[in-house]
Amino acid sequence: MQRVSISQLLRKPTWGRHVCPPSSSRSLHVCVVGSGPAGFYTTEKILKYHNGAKIDIVDRLPTPFGLVRSGVAPDHPETKIVTNQFSRVASNERCSFFGNVSLGRDISLSEIREIYDIVVLAYGAESDRILNVPGENLLGIHSAREFVWWYNGHPDCNNMSPDLENTDTAVILGQGNVALDVARILLRPTSELETTDIADHALEALYKSSIRKVCLVGRRGPVQAACTAKELREILGTKDLSIHIKECDLSSSSADEEELKNSRIQRRVYELFSKASASRHPHSISGQKELHFVFFRRPDRFLPSLYNSKVRGVSIEKTSLAEDVGSGKRYAVGTGQFEDLDAGLVLKSIGYKSVSVPGLTFDEQRGVVPNLKGRVLKNNSSHPILEDGLYVAGWLKRGPTGIIATNLYCAEETVGSILEDLEKGAVRPNRHGRPGLVQALEGRGIQYVTLSGWERIDLREKAEGNLRNRPRTKITDWAELLRVANG
Amino acid sequence: MHLITSSTQRGFLKRDCSPLSVTSGAYLRRPFSHYLWPKRECSTSAVENSVGSETKEKITVTFVDKDGEEKVIRVPVGMSMLEAAHENDIELEGACEGSLACSTCHVIIMDVDYYNRLEDPTDEENDMLDLAFGLCETSRLGCQVIAKPELDGMRLALPAATRNFAVDGYVPKPH
């Protein structure tokens, strides 16, 4: 039997005309689980590098694009432009979208691996790191992930109803870009949000919000803050907002100077903090909202209200920085000095976490699938054994860090591993792909959403939005999404 | 990555490698992934004779990919390097399509002379450059480098994809 060589299948990704080889390319059936940046960049690269590949993208939601739709803030529409590129990939004749299909619930990992030659898991991180401190389950404490899903109209959070009316202060734990996003949404004049794709229920709640003060609390200092310059610059420039940064928090040690010297990102962030602190007015103008950057504090426990199980504040402990001798990383240690911050709303923005599915080896501590350059491991020991035909990309592979573009390089690595494995015969394509998936889903009565179904949702949302001078009005109810999708 | 400053190597090919029509300044949102679509057939001579491109001055720009392969193109004054790349099948990502909301169109100006002929990056561009992979001293965003006569002969390198691509743990070269 004639084998088609990889060099015939591989097209050099540079200048060329994309010429198909004279002989037909052998089919390769691929399933990508997850339709966010990791899933789409992976799909795009496989389509590019393998002429015979047919790719089915599966997503739990009826809508594609992952966190580009449900994570990127409503007032950052330019960051969502990348969905144009993803839509072109989805429209490729060798690609199909299957929305409303949940791995684990609707179809198992082992079944998918029987149906497809290659399976790439790119389903990201849909859970949260927890603090593990007393009072963490009090009402009024939410993860930032849920809060973001709520204002972005994710159907899992449309009934969340965070209480923005019982308090004038929100405490946000964490100082990364997600923390800044939620602070900004709480503090921006609502008139500025009216022309965005923010979910209706969130805008309604923000109109009635009594929150006037937001504290962004970080364990370490401005030198170590995880946010980046664009987001920090933006929030510091928010209309009618007074910024509070303690000057003493800005003093930098020689270890700090060393860190700053080695990182352009941190240097520019630190400069923004310094300028903001230096230019602040001594007194807030009455009626102005306030943003406080609270450095060198870690949460010790949450304080309940007297009469119910709602949070009324958080006890925080002052920290100082110590250095890990091995890695040189600087981490916070408690100093035994405590103080209370009053707040009726607490948002934990300390990191996302992936969830596992049956049949998958999972590193519970790091929250990732153990892998070697995207090849999934059967075990996590010094003698690693690889799973056949199973790969991973995105946050599930690397942990929940990085920007959208980080997935570009991540996908490149994973797809490189797939192509290597094909070339050396570690994967021998012999599955039948799509018909198997359709049969399994229809047999179980699963109402999967096709690309056309998503396009119906998209058109409806844009049409509704257009009536109200917004890019779209999101449909946030599961049943409604499926109704619109299926015409 | 070390700085490439050899201006003596700055020769350029006269051959026009652009098979696609170049319209007068208007940026067609040609998708980078258009190799996945049927190609439009368009002869070079037809391009040169079209009214729009005749009247527009053009400069010569060379793109060098991470394997060292070169492509020389003609770019009308006023067009960004990102648009020019897409017009000419050059693999340059542009996730945000030129809105200064990403760093995927990052290019490296190979000769510091040319780098110095550009306007300084704005804070907004620098904010995006912070996150670019393979950042170096003459890095710019391709969507912000606009063709002008002084840039004729410029050489742009596409950054090599690095293995170390986690944002935390990734340390850009000090500037």
Side-chain angles (χ1 to χ4, degrees):
Chain A
M1 178 159 34
Q2 172 138 51
R3 288 190 61 174
V4 180
S5 74
I6 284 295
S7 51
Q8 277 177 273
L9 293 173
L10 270 176
R11 291 295 139 224
K12 210 162 183 292
T14 48
W15 324 128
R17 273 182 191 82
H18 191 63
V19 178
C20 290
S23 57
S24 65
S25 304
R26 198 144 176 207
S27 277
L28 179 71
H29 296 286
V30 182
C31 182
V32 173
V33 181
S35 66
F40 267 107
Y41 279 132
T42 297
T43 300
E44 187 177 51
K45 287 174 194 299
I46 295 176
L47 286 172
K48 180 163 78 171
Y49 296 135
H50 194 298
N51 285 339
K54 290 201 174 73
I55 305 178
D56 292 341
I57 305 178
V58 163
D59 199 291
R60 179 171 78 81
L61 290 183
T63 57
F65 310 137
L67 283 172
V68 182
R69 174 176 163 97
S70 65
V72 174
D75 56 349
H76 287 171
E78 319 78 21
T79 308
K80 305 190 198 200
I81 289 174
V82 70
T83 56
N84 294 340
Q85 181 176 347
F86 295 161
S87 295
R88 287 191 292 273
V89 174
S91 303
N92 186 286
E93 58 179 5
R94 293 188 280 136
C95 181
S96 284
F97 175 69
F98 287 82
N100 193 35
V101 177
S102 168
L103 180 69
R105 186 193 69 195
D106 298 332
I107 191 161
S108 71
L109 179 59
S110 58
E111 283 177 290
I112 294 249
R113 292 178 72 190
E114 282 297 310
I115 295 170
Y116 293 92
D117 300 309
I118 303 269
V119 175
V120 184
L121 301 176
Y123 62 73
E126 292 197 318
S127 184
D128 311 294
R129 283 182 71 202
I130 51 172
L131 285 164
N132 234 343
V133 302
E136 200 164 352
N137 293 320
L138 289 170
L139 294 174
I141 303 178
H142 310 274
S143 73
R145 172 186 63 87
E146 292 170 310
F147 193 75
V148 169
W149 274 5
W150 169 74
Y151 65 60
N152 276 332
H154 192 292
D156 284 355
C157 282
N158 65 342
N159 289 325
M160 191 173 125
S161 305
D163 187 353
L164 308 182
E165 296 173 58
N166 80 80
T167 184
D168 66 355
T169 303
V171 159
I172 301 173
L173 299 169
Q175 293 170 334
N177 287 336
V178 178
L180 263 56
D181 272 355
V182 301
R184 193 181 67 251
I185 295 296
L186 283 170
L187 292 168
R188 268 193 95 158
T190 44
S191 56
E192 292 177 7
L193 296 174
E194 277 164 3
T195 51
T196 71
D197 64 3
I198 193 169
D200 279 341
H201 52 241
L203 193 55
E204 290 305 314
L206 287 166
Y207 282 139
K208 298 185 268 183
S209 165
S210 52
I211 293 174
R212 293 288 167 270
K213 176 171 152 189
V214 173
C215 298
L216 282 161
V217 179
R219 291 177 295 186
R220 299 184 295 172
V223 171
Q224 293 81 28
C227 56
T228 51
K230 170 183 186 263
E231 288 75 13
L232 184 56
R233 190 188 304 281
E234 179 183 17
I235 202 169
L236 294 174
T238 302
K239 191 168 146 197
D240 295 333
L241 185 67
S242 72
I243 309 292
H244 298 253
I245 298 170
K246 286 209 228 120
E247 220 169 298
C248 58
D249 285 339
L250 284 164
S251 62
S252 52
S253 64
S254 55
D256 286 331
E257 295 293 321
E258 190 64 29
E259 267 194 70
L260 289 176
K261 208 168 63 145
N262 290 329
S263 169
R264 175 185 148 129
I265 292 178
Q266 281 168 263
R267 200 160 57 240
R268 296 183 77 245
V269 164
Y270 179 79
E271 274 161 26
L272 283 167
F273 278 127
S274 301
K275 258 198 285 214
S277 173
S279 66
R280 79 186 192 282
H281 300 293
H283 307 289
S284 298
I285 299 163
S286 112
Q288 247 190 352
K289 292 184 183 168
E290 296 175 18
L291 177 64
H292 294 246
F293 283 90
V294 178
F295 294 107
F296 302 108
R297 299 292 187 280
R298 70 180 186 187
D300 183 67
R301 68 189 190 287
F302 296 102
L303 309 168
S305 300
L306 227 41
Y307 302 109
N308 53 29
S309 50
K310 279 186 166 179
V311 71
R312 69 159 174 87
V314 52
S315 166
I316 53 179
E317 182 186 15
K318 186 160 188 224
T319 66
S320 65
L321 297 188
E323 187 168 319
D324 176 83
V325 182
S327 63
K329 280 193 103 169
R330 301 174 70 219
Y331 61 98
V333 289
T335 60
Q337 299 163 58
F338 297 86
E339 61 194 275
D340 287 352
L341 270 182
D342 293 333
L345 177 71
V346 176
L347 298 173
K348 297 180 287 177
S349 187
I350 60 170
Y352 286 59
K353 195 161 182 194
S354 291
V355 287
S356 186
V357 289
L360 194 59
T361 303
F362 192 71
D363 181 341
E364 187 57 49
Q365 208 249 326
R366 285 181 58 216
V368 294
V369 170
N371 69 90
L372 287 174
K373 294 191 177 176
R375 295 176 177 96
V376 173
L377 292 169
K378 252 203 245 280
N379 59 356
N380 202 8
S381 75
S382 52
H383 298 290
I385 305 170
L386 295 170
E387 292 276 11
D388 288 334
L390 188 60
Y391 302 83
V392 72
W395 280 6
L396 190 59
K397 169 187 174 190
R398 298 180 284 107
T401 59
I403 54 177
I404 291 171
T406 314
N407 293 288
L408 203 48
Y409 305 96
C410 180
E412 189 86 25
E413 184 183 67
T414 294
V415 174
S417 297
I418 293 171
L419 296 172
E420 267 177 41
D421 290 351
L422 283 167
E423 171 142 37
K424 67 189 189 207
V427 176
R428 287 171 198 276
N430 59 9
R431 310 285 204 223
H432 301 289
R434 195 166 304 155
L437 178 68
V438 172
Q439 188 179 38
L441 295 176
E442 288 180 354
R444 286 162 208 183
I446 310 260
Q447 217 188 0
Y448 58 88
V449 173
T450 61
L451 189 66
S452 306
W454 152 244
E455 285 166 352
R456 279 188 277 271
I457 295 172
D458 190 33
L459 270 160
R460 172 73 65 90
E461 288 185 344
K462 290 204 268 226
E464 292 288 320
N466 197 36
L467 296 171
R468 300 146 85 198
N469 193 25
R470 302 166 180 194
R472 68 176 64 238
T473 297
K474 283 189 181 161
I475 302 172
T476 65
D477 175 67
W478 268 105
E480 176 78 12
L481 281 165
L482 293 175
R483 221 178 2 251
V484 173
N486 293 312
Chain B
M1 175 173 166
H2 63 271
L3 207 57
I4 300 163
T5 53
S6 55
S7 47
T8 49
Q9 283 181 283
R10 204 198 329 144
F12 51 86
L13 303 170
K14 302 261 179 185
R15 171 173 61 100
D16 188 336
C17 298
S18 136
L20 301 174
S21 139
V22 174
T23 62
S24 57
Y27 172 40
L28 294 175
R29 293 253 163 114
R30 297 296 301 274
F32 152 63
S33 49
H34 66 271
Y35 55 76
L36 295 174
W37 296 72
K39 236 184 184 27
R40 252 191 12 208
E41 286 311 307
C42 216
S43 75
T44 309
S45 54
V47 168
E48 297 291 80
N49 290 335
S50 75
V51 175
S53 49
E54 247 180 50
T55 51
K56 218 36 188 250
E57 193 185 343
K58 288 197 200 163
I59 62 167
T60 298
V61 176
T62 303
F63 278 84
V64 183
D65 79 353
K66 60 186 192 271
D67 300 316
E69 278 201 28
E70 298 194 0
K71 181 155 189 174
V72 183
I73 63 171
R74 302 276 289 153
V75 184
V77 166
M79 183 181 277
S80 77
M81 294 302 117
L82 176 62
E83 298 165 32
H86 286 186
E87 293 280 316
N88 289 279
D89 286 358
I90 291 167
E91 185 181 290
L92 186 61
E93 290 277 341
C96 78
E97 296 178 7
S99 325
L100 270 181
C102 78
S103 53
T104 59
C105 69
H106 167 216
V107 292
I108 297 161
I109 322 289
M110 293 171 75
D111 302 305
V112 73
D113 295 337
Y114 283 99
Y115 179 78
N116 290 333
R117 291 175 207 179
L118 298 171
E119 297 287 313
D120 282 347
T122 56
D123 281 342
E124 288 69 31
E125 185 183 346
N126 271 323
D127 288 351
M128 292 301 104
L129 281 169
D130 280 356
L131 307 168
F133 295 92
L135 187 73
C136 62
E137 286 169 40
T138 58
S139 284
R140 292 298 298 265
L141 295 183
C143 64
Q144 303 302 301
V145 178
I146 311 298
K148 56 185 183 181
E150 303 92 304
L151 298 179
D152 188 31
M154 178 168 62
R155 292 160 61 78
L156 300 174
L158 301 184
T162 61
R163 283 296 162 217
N164 175 22
F165 44 64
V167 166
D168 59 355
Y170 174 72
V171 180
K173 295 265 183 288
H175 280 52

